[in-house]
Amino acid sequence: MDLAERIRRRRESSGDTPLIRDYDAISPVSHVPDPTGRGQILERLLDALDPVFDGDLPPEAYVWGPAGAGKSAVVTALFDHLSTQITGSSTVIHTATRADTGGDLAFVAVDARTADSPFGLYRAVLDALVDEQVPTRGVGTDRLRDRLARELAGGRAVVVAVDHVGEPATPDLSTVADHLSPLARLSWLAVGRHEPAAVDASLPAECIEIPAYRRHALADVLTSRASAGLADRAIEHEGIREIADWADGDAHDALAAVFGAADRAAAADRSRIHGEDITAAIDDVPRPSCALGRVVALPENRQRVCRVLVDLADDERASVDAATDAVTARVDLSPGTVKRFLYELAETGIVERVRSDAAGDHGRPPSRVEPRFPTAVFRRLYDRREDR
């Protein structure tokens, strides 16, 4: 923290400062420019990308680690910093290359949660490389691939980071390799959770592990994010340590607990986060938890169903049919569409169908519908977005 920041925080702490100064700073779906405690990992990634500083494409790589290890944060920060430092662009790098590359070198980050098909992969890369608008429909996958190949043949080269590979409803490592490796003048770096031994694909030359945070390192992450997003001394060190111990290395769950505790305290018009806020926020995070990034990446109509679902009473979620009726009464969607969405969300682990003890009309126990994500945090993220 620089001197100007220290002075600003002192001035704010002496006045009527809101408990939450910046929701994004403590949000589990937001990344910071400089990840805390990941210097060694950044060095390993820079080693893997080192050929680009001589104008060459690096070997393809697979970055892996458990949920909440900060994989997305590290890769996003690295690409953003390279882009900014070399060209001042926050999206793509353009730098003079050696004669044998024959043109510009670009870095493009793709989120497989939204680019969840070969068409989506090609479109995301092409959209970052060209100035004109790339169509989202009405054109075939082969045409997009051919257009991308022509762009690269015209003197461009690109390194593509594909994040969140191998999750439910996202391309796996084999799919990424099958569709990107054949393109000349393109190298990719895939980011996923599965350890190399469990990946059903030919592994690239570079495999880089990002391990879970150690508890003291996770506490540092939470302290840094709280310092940026909360009023001075809004949460005590004991509270940070309690959350870090409970989260067991998972930064997503830990940040969700900080966010939820702060939001609860702010709603009660308190200037400090109390122990009861932390307890309630921890209780709101299922273990294991579906990453909120997956939920907010859903199409809008499915997010709307999730938003209604988190406000339903227990009896309204007692079965899929009951949840369908309750959601349909609150959204402009047909019962068939809502039921299909609920089954899709269950198949991908965003909600869970929990078998009830009571037998249904036909002797089979109904399945209660339970969200598998932090509901209070999602509610606030969704409502803030809708209010903007």
Side-chain angles (χ1 to χ4, degrees):
M1 187 186 302
D2 60 25
L3 182 57
E5 175 68 6
R6 292 177 187 274
I7 294 172
R8 181 186 63 77
R9 286 182 60 79
R10 286 298 182 102
R11 291 182 63 187
E12 288 186 346
S13 65
S14 65
D16 186 18
T17 305
L19 175 66
I20 302 177
R21 296 189 296 109
D22 184 354
Y23 275 92
D24 288 340
I26 58 171
S27 170
V29 301
S30 298
H31 301 309
V32 296
D34 296 295
T36 301
R38 287 309 199 195
Q40 291 184 346
I41 298 299
L42 284 166
E43 288 295 329
R44 289 192 62 192
L45 288 170
L46 284 169
D47 286 344
L49 296 170
D50 190 66
V52 305
F53 298 106
D54 288 328
D56 294 323
L57 286 173
E60 293 165 345
Y62 177 53
V63 178
W64 63 280
K71 302 180 296 297
S72 299
V74 169
V75 172
T76 299
L78 179 58
F79 272 54
D80 284 349
H81 275 285
L82 287 171
S83 299
T84 301
Q85 291 183 29
I86 293 178
T87 66
S89 166
S90 63
T91 305
V92 181
I93 289 178
H94 300 285
T95 181
T97 60
R98 300 190 314 187
D100 59 353
T101 64
D104 290 336
L105 178 62
F107 279 60
V108 176
V110 175
D111 187 344
R113 288 171 175 166
T114 52
D116 56 359
S117 65
F119 178 93
L121 286 175
Y122 294 140
R123 187 193 178 280
V125 177
L126 190 60
D127 190 54
L129 295 178
V130 301
D131 293 331
E132 63 268 26
Q133 186 174 4
V134 181
T136 58
R137 57 178 61 88
V139 60
T141 300
D142 290 345
R143 286 187 60 187
L144 271 189
R145 183 193 59 224
D146 292 344
R147 184 180 174 190
L148 176 57
R150 289 195 302 272
E151 181 69 23
L152 298 175
R156 306 295 296 278
V158 61
V159 182
V160 181
V162 185
D163 198 5
H164 303 120
V165 302
E167 294 183 358
T170 72
D172 58 17
L173 184 62
S174 178
T175 299
V176 170
D178 288 346
H179 290 90
L180 296 184
S181 292
L183 289 166
R185 304 175 59 77
L186 182 150
S187 179
W188 52 262
L189 180 152
V191 184
R193 295 182 183 177
H194 300 297
E195 59 183 85
V199 173
D200 186 18
S202 297
L203 292 168
E206 292 278 353
C207 289
I208 300 170
E209 179 184 6
I210 300 184
Y213 284 98
R214 295 181 181 273
R215 292 188 181 184
H216 70 275
L218 183 53
D220 288 344
V221 171
L222 299 182
T223 299
S224 176
R225 298 284 287 260
S227 177
L230 302 180
D232 195 33
R233 296 185 293 275
I235 183 169
E236 300 293 338
H237 179 70
E238 289 75 12
I240 290 288
R241 187 171 58 189
E242 178 184 352
I243 293 173
D245 288 346
W246 161 80
D248 195 23
D250 191 322
H252 169 274
D253 289 1
L255 284 168
V258 170
F259 186 107
D263 191 57
R264 187 178 190 274
D269 200 25
R270 289 195 284 270
S271 60
R272 299 287 185 269
I273 294 172
H274 293 182
E276 64 194 68
D277 300 317
I278 292 174
T279 299
I282 286 175
D283 289 344
D284 184 61
V285 182
R287 304 299 297 274
S289 177
C290 170
L292 281 163
R294 289 183 56 204
V295 187
V296 301
L298 291 169
E300 174 55 35
N301 51 11
R302 288 164 177 80
Q303 284 193 56
R304 192 160 71 250
V305 168
C306 288
R307 176 62 185 88
V308 172
L309 187 67
V310 301
D311 281 347
L312 297 184
D314 288 346
D315 62 322
E316 293 178 303
R317 292 185 285 104
S319 68
V320 174
D321 287 341
T324 297
D325 292 342
V327 172
T328 302
R330 296 165 170 84
V331 298
D332 186 22
L333 295 170
S334 70
T337 298
V338 170
K339 179 175 285 190
R340 175 167 59 85
F341 286 174
L342 291 175
Y343 279 116
E344 289 175 357
L345 294 170
E347 288 173 1
T348 55
I350 293 175
V351 304
E352 182 179 15
R353 295 170 59 201
V354 180
R355 187 61 59 88
S356 172
D357 292 334
D361 294 339
H362 302 289
R364 298 180 58 188
S367 297
R368 188 174 71 255
V369 181
E370 295 286 352
R372 294 304 306 167
F373 52 89
T375 56
V377 182
F378 172 71
R379 181 186 294 113
R380 177 62 66 196
L381 291 173
Y382 184 95
D383 291 352
R384 279 178 56 80
R385 186 191 69 194
E386 293 299 301
D387 289 342
R388 290 174 182 172

